[in-house]
């Protein structure tokens, strides 16, 4: 392709609307343009990259037995009503009506659609396992669409759904997809980690998020350098930390004037923070009061609290009146002496403390010498791992100190079990002629988010640095002065030769100044630039610049194609 025919409107200035580097670079380098909040047009450069990512995805899905299909984006409300998700999906779902007043949704995901597609048609265990996937636009009316393609309202997703006859089969399908994802993100040249994830509202068994490591990422990950443990901070299971045993002292209530934060108590009593217990008070959707207790230096993990309390769907900060109704006192809470009516969840590590400090459920009063195993009413409390992981916590697998890093979730794999086959009555006949629900899995990859994550991870002050597997073009040939016929012709010949040997190459035949063209090449981030200048012409050679390393090489005319192929190969 020739640059004079390519639509890639680059900008000199950094656009003010963009916060995130990948978003800025995609706007500046002429990859995307905004149509509305969270809605973007992909221009040729972006679409070329996305098509390459989609091709890698297709190859790896097909290699595992996936079959590509295409379902409608517009989905009838009835199937969502049947699964029970029409009401609970909330404002994130974009809904519309047809001319007859019939309700539809723009698909945020396709569990309902695919389950109703195969139900009644896949009748026998002999037709299983079955893996179907599609690559298409998804719609989620995110509360805060931002960061360009990272969190948009319309985005391209690959979603695959697996159907198996039993749990063992489902786990095999899960493993196949896990391995495929590993290959996909490696082939895209990304540094990533599969991270144990919370299953969220989707339900079912296990789940991993594939997370590209980047400081700008929205997810926080705990990982171990010694073993391969990695988990999202929402999920990371933690070991109980046992305090050193002490002689038990008598529980005592003391005055702690104005000490309504843990910092104040610790300073006032001159005790280490690890000797204190703090509380966070929540209410669920039904108004139930849920009191969570952790060690003073730990933080409460709301998701873990939610998972430990049966029937709770969401948590909100508690109203003071709710706290008072059980005899509690905000800022001075403890489980000791509370009236019935609150769900009390105590972190497992708290149960291992001796002679600690906790609130006394009265203004300006605390208990000292609290030993939870002795002083908390075991009948009334739930003991669970409810704290947030912190840097330095022991690895739950090997005990090594955990590290924290940030990342971008580009894909997620889930086992769903029979959640959807049950709610949508999708069954088959097993070996014994008995009716069974399908065991399902679902597996998504955000194509645009993967492209954005690649930019977040690979850039410098001059622009994007593409891995050749997903670069819009692998090589660009630049005659520094395209008005000079000899230079242009020389460059055109090299361009044709590279093209004929299967390289995805662009000829920058624009009659711009060399400086402008070089700047654009760096901004767009082609992995290899081939320069033809009066100087190289004199020696019948070309100059090569490797975008990633900045390395400059000179090749003689005769060896150009062979050498460039070799350089490109090194970058893969
Ligand atoms: P998040 O937690 O970031 O909102 P999610 O867990 O809801 O994402 P999934 O339902 O697992 O997302 O979707 C599969 C993939 O689709 C994600 O891993 C991500 O790459 C992509 N994706 C999800 N939401 C968006 C969005 N708003 N914009 C762009 N890509 C998205
Ligand atoms: Mg996800």
């Amino acid at each position: 392709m020739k640059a004079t025919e390519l639509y890639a409107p680059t900008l000199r200035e950094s656009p003010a609307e963009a916060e995130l580097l990948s978003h800025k670079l995609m706007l500046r380098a002429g990859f995307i343009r905004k149509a509305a909040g969270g809605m973007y047009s992909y221009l040729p450069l972006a679409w070329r990259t996305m098509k390459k990512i989609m091709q890698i995805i297709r190859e790896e899905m097909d290699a595992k037995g996936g079959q590509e299909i295409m379902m409608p984006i517009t989905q009838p409300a009835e199937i969502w009503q049947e699964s029970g998700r029409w009401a609970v999906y909330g404002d994130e779902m974009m809904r519309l009506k047809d001319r007859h007043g019939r309700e539809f949704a723009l698909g945020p995901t396709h569990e309902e659609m695919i389950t109703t597609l195969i139900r009644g048609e896949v009748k026998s265990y002999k037709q299983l396992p079955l893996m179907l996937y599609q690559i298409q636009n998804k719609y989620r009316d995110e509360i805060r669409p931002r960061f360009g393609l990272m969190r948009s309202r319309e985005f391209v997703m690959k979603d695959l759904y697996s159907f198996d006859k039993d749990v063992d089969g489902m786990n095999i399908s899960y493993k196949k997809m896990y391995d495929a994802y590993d290959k996909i993100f490696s082939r895209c040249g990304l540094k990533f980690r599969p991270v144990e994830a919370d299953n969220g509202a989707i339900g079912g068994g296990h789940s991993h998020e594939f997370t590209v490591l980047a400081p700008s990422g929205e997810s926080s990950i705990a990982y171990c350098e010694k073993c391969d443990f990695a988990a999202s901070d929402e999920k990371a299971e933690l070991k109980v930390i046992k305090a050193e045993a002490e002689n038990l002292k008598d529980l005592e209530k003391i005055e702690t004037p104005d000490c309504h934060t843990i910092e104040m108590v610790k300073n006032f009593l001159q005790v280490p923070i690890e000797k204190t217990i703090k509380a966070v008070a929540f209410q669920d959707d039904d108004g139930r009061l849920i009191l969570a207790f952790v060690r003073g230096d730990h933080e409460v993990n709301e998701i873990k609290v939610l998972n430990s309390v049966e029937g709770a769907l969401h948590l909100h900060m508690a109203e003071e009146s709710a706290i008072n109704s059980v005899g509690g006192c905000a800022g001075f809470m403890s489980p000791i002496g509370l009236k019935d009516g609150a769900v009390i969840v105590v972190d497992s590590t708290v149960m291992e403390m001796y002679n600690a400090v906790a609130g006394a459920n009265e203004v300006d009063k605390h208990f000292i010498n609290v030993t939870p195993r002795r002083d908390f009413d075991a009948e009334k409390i739930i003991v669970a791992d409810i704290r947030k992981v912190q840097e330095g916590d022991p690895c739950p697998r090997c005990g090594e100190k955990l590290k924290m890093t940030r990342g971008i979730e580009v894909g997620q794999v889930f086992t769903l079990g029979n959640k959807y086959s049950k709610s949508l009555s999708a069954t088959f006949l097993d070996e014994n002629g008995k009716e069974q629900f399908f065991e399902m899995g679902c597996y998504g990859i955000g194509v645009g988010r993967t492209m954005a994550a690649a930019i977040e991870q690979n850039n410098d002050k001059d622009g994007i640095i593409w891995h050749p597997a997903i670069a819009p073009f692998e090589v660009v040939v630049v005659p520094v002065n395209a008005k000079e016929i000899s230079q242009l012709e020389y460059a055109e010949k090299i361009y044709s030769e590279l093209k004929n040997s299967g390289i995805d190459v662009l000829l920058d035949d624009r009659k711009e100044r060399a400086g402008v063209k070089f700047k654009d090449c760096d901004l767009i981030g082609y992995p290899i630039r081939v320069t033809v200048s009066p100087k190289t012409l004199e020696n019948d050679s070309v100059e090569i610049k490797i975008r990633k390393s900045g390395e400059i090489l000179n090749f003689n005319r005769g060896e150009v194609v062979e050498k460039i192929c070799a350089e490109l190969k090194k970058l893969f």
Side-chain angles (χ1 to χ4, degrees):
M1 168 139 217
K2 294 183 174 173
T4 44
E5 292 158 6
L6 174 71
Y7 183 58
T10 53
L11 308 172
R12 291 286 146 245
E13 298 296 316
S14 202
E17 69 194 86
E19 294 167 56
L20 204 65
L21 194 68
S22 57
H23 186 195
K24 278 187 193 148
L25 286 171
M26 274 194 268
L27 288 169
R28 268 189 63 202
F31 278 62
I32 57 168
R33 287 294 179 262
K34 180 170 152 183
M39 314 264 185
Y40 291 88
S41 296
Y42 310 112
L43 305 189
L45 290 173
W47 196 239
R48 291 182 76 90
T49 288
M50 287 172 71
K51 280 198 289 190
K52 288 186 183 181
I53 297 172
M54 290 189 265
Q55 185 54 28
I56 292 173
I57 294 174
R58 283 195 173 98
E59 286 169 17
E60 299 303 335
M61 291 294 107
D62 294 351
K64 297 293 181 192
Q67 299 175 62
E68 189 168 359
I69 59 171
M70 185 63 107
M71 292 180 276
I73 286 169
T74 317
Q75 308 186 12
E78 290 81 9
I79 58 175
W80 288 82
Q81 282 154 351
E82 199 179 333
S83 75
R85 285 209 293 180
W86 182 255
V88 298
Y89 217 95
D91 289 340
E92 210 171 286
M93 187 185 249
M94 299 228 195
R95 299 165 206 245
L96 61 143
K97 281 189 184 150
D98 72 5
R99 62 170 74 204
H100 308 293
R102 196 175 157 198
E103 287 186 293
F104 290 88
L106 296 181
T109 179
H110 275 66
E111 285 82 10
E112 281 78 358
M113 194 63 136
I114 193 120
T115 310
T116 53
L117 171 72
I118 62 116
R119 88 173 159 196
E121 300 224 48
V122 178
K123 292 191 172 108
S124 160
Y125 72 95
K126 289 182 196 144
Q127 292 162 279
L128 301 175
L130 182 64
M131 291 199 266
L132 300 173
Y133 75 95
Q134 58 176 355
I135 304 179
Q136 65 164 200
N137 283 0
K138 291 280 183 281
Y139 295 81
R140 295 184 185 176
D141 201 354
E142 301 268 359
I143 299 183
R144 287 213 291 157
R146 60 202 165 129
F147 304 148
L149 303 189
M150 285 286 184
R151 187 165 295 285
S152 41
R153 298 197 294 166
E154 174 180 285
F155 56 96
V156 180
M157 195 208 281
K158 182 285 301 178
D159 45 333
L160 182 143
Y161 303 88
S162 64
F163 296 88
D164 277 278
K165 66 182 165 95
D166 53 26
V167 171
D168 286 348
M170 172 181 79
N171 288 335
I172 293 170
S173 295
Y174 184 84
K175 177 76 170 67
K176 281 187 183 165
M177 282 300 117
Y178 181 101
D179 291 344
Y181 276 39
D182 221 63
K183 283 220 174 106
I184 290 165
F185 298 118
S186 302
R187 284 182 62 186
C188 290
L190 294 164
K191 285 194 274 305
F192 66 95
R193 275 218 178 216
V195 171
E196 288 174 20
D198 186 76
N199 238 327
I202 206 151
H206 34 263
S207 172
H208 283 87
E209 283 172 1
F210 283 75
T211 306
V212 169
L213 305 179
S216 59
E218 288 186 285
S219 352
S220 177
I221 306 163
Y223 69 99
C224 178
E225 280 183 333
K226 202 166 147 206
C227 68
D228 63 358
F229 173 83
S232 70
D233 67 341
E234 290 172 355
K235 163 89 182 189
E237 284 164 33
L238 293 170
K239 276 197 165 162
V240 176
I241 304 173
K242 293 200 166 165
E244 225 165 277
E246 291 174 19
N247 290 330
L248 302 193
K249 295 184 202 152
D250 290 340
L251 186 70
E252 203 180 314
K253 194 188 285 183
I254 57 159
E255 296 281 339
T256 50
D258 284 333
C259 294
H260 50 85
T261 69
I262 214 71
E263 271 304 302
M264 290 165 166
V265 180
K266 159 192 147 232
N267 293 338
F268 180 76
L269 296 175
Q270 293 288 303
V271 291
I273 193 158
E274 300 82 39
K275 284 283 222 183
T276 64
I277 299 170
K278 72 179 175 195
V280 183
F282 302 101
Q283 280 179 278
D284 72 357
D285 291 341
D286 300 331
R288 247 193 321 174
L289 180 66
I290 299 168
L291 301 172
F293 292 91
V294 293
R295 213 168 74 175
D297 57 326
H298 292 155
E299 296 301 328
V300 171
N301 178 329
E302 284 189 34
I303 305 232
K304 288 185 181 176
V305 174
L306 208 53
N307 291 340
S308 68
V309 180
E310 223 180 289
L313 284 178
H314 302 103
L315 293 180
H316 319 276
M317 280 298 137
E319 304 272 341
E320 194 147 352
S321 55
I323 297 174
N324 296 340
S325 72
V326 296
C329 173
F332 302 89
M333 298 292 298
S334 86
I336 305 172
L338 285 182
K339 288 189 242 162
D340 286 350
V343 181
I344 299 171
V345 194
V346 181
D347 184 57
S348 333
T349 288
V350 168
M351 295 309 287
E352 301 295 330
M353 295 168 78
Y354 296 92
N355 301 322
V357 177
N361 299 315
E362 278 178 54
V363 178
D364 293 348
K365 294 208 167 68
H366 275 83
F367 284 122
I368 56 169
N369 304 332
V370 176
T371 297
R373 255 190 291 184
R374 178 192 65 188
D375 301 327
F376 293 0
D377 186 346
E379 303 263 294
K380 289 191 182 164
I381 60 173
I382 299 170
V383 177
D385 165 20
I386 56 158
R387 70 186 176 91
K388 260 193 198 153
V389 60
Q390 292 171 349
E391 177 117 18
D393 273 327
C395 169
R397 298 250 173 87
C398 74
E400 183 74 11
K401 284 190 169 145
L402 290 176
K403 294 237 156 101
M404 299 292 296
T405 182
R406 299 199 72 81
I408 301 161
E409 178 207 317
V410 286
Q412 187 161 13
V413 289
F414 291 97
T415 57
L416 297 168
N418 57 22
K419 184 177 150 96
Y420 293 93
S421 52
K422 235 181 189 162
S423 62
L424 295 161
S425 314
T427 60
F428 65 95
L429 295 179
D430 70 8
E431 288 92 331
N432 305 314
K434 215 177 140 218
E435 217 176 351
Q436 301 284 1
F437 293 113
F438 295 101
E439 293 291 334
M440 293 171 57
C442 73
Y443 315 88
I445 294 181
V447 177
R449 196 187 277 184
T450 301
M451 171 166 70
I455 298 174
E456 278 306 313
Q457 201 172 61
N458 301 289
N459 64 73
D460 64 11
K461 63 173 189 353
D462 299 319
I464 306 168
I465 303 171
W466 287 110
H467 185 277
I470 57 170
F473 292 96
E474 293 167 324
V475 174
V476 59
V477 180
V478 187
V480 295
N481 185 353
K483 289 177 198 151
E484 285 280 339
I485 295 299
S486 58
Q487 259 184 55
L488 184 62
E489 282 178 352
Y490 195 94
E492 268 171 351
K493 277 209 192 95
I494 290 171
Y495 160 76
S496 302
E497 286 170 26
L498 289 172
K499 205 166 142 185
N500 291 337
S501 48
I503 290 181
D504 190 15
V505 55
L506 179 77
L507 175 70
D508 194 347
D509 55 346
R510 294 176 303 159
K511 295 186 171 58
E512 296 277 359
R513 281 184 296 117
V516 171
K517 296 210 272 190
F518 288 164
K519 270 212 159 68
D520 281 349
C521 290
D522 284 347
L523 176 63
I524 294 168
Y526 309 112
I528 294 180
R529 187 183 85 199
V530 182
T531 313
V532 177
S533 67
K535 205 172 97 202
T536 67
L537 274 184
E538 231 170 72
N539 310 326
D540 196 15
S541 68
V542 296
E543 185 192 277
I544 306 290
K545 186 181 165 201
I546 311 292
R547 175 71 180 89
K548 190 171 175 187
S549 60
E551 203 180 348
I552 308 263
L553 303 163
N554 284 287
F555 297 145
N556 294 327
R557 180 69 183 86
E559 57 177 17
V560 166
V561 173
E562 183 196 336
K563 291 274 189 179
I564 289 178
C565 287
E567 287 303 319
L568 201 55
K569 215 167 160 194
K570 280 193 223 161
L571 293 173
F572 265 92

